[in-house]
Amino acid sequence: MESAIKTLVTTFLSSTKGKDSLDNKSFKKLVQKQLGGMMKDTNNSAAINEMQEGLDANSDGKVSFQEYLTLIGYLANSLSQHECESNGTAS
């Protein structure tokens, strides 16, 4: 678990290139490079822009670490539900 958390943090930090948040280009690159196997439409710029806007809680045009964690939480929850359904343990 520690390794997974460290990976989440270092992935975000390396994607920001020393800044405190992801701009449009950095967010798109992170989604395409790191999440293409889990998400649909990672090659669709409009879909990525829409996702970024949905995550951007403070409407500053960037994705902060907290906003990034919202995306990670959503993906983890979706994966968990999918795994439960696959194993027949969904309620």
Side-chain angles (χ1 to χ4, degrees), residues 20-65:
D20 61 351
S21 56
L22 297 162
D23 60 19
N24 294 343
K25 184 178 176 183
S26 298
F27 180 74
K28 181 178 179 181
K29 192 178 218 181
L30 180 142
V31 168
Q32 290 176 329
K33 187 175 180 183
Q34 302 292 335
L35 301 172
M38 287 190 84
M39 298 176 65
K40 298 177 183 176
D41 295 333
T42 57
N43 290 322
N44 182 330
S45 292
I48 293 174
N49 288 341
E50 187 176 323
M51 183 189 331
Q52 182 178 352
E53 289 173 12
L55 292 170
D56 188 11
N58 64 354
S59 300
D60 66 354
K62 298 179 266 183
V63 176
S64 68
F65 184 72

Side-chain angles (χ1 to χ4, degrees), residues 12 20-21 55 57 63-73:
F12 179 84
D20 61 351
S21 56
L55 292 170
V63 176
S64 68
F65 184 72
Q66 188 62 45
E67 293 164 339
Y68 161 79
L69 288 179
T70 299
L71 173 62
I72 300 304

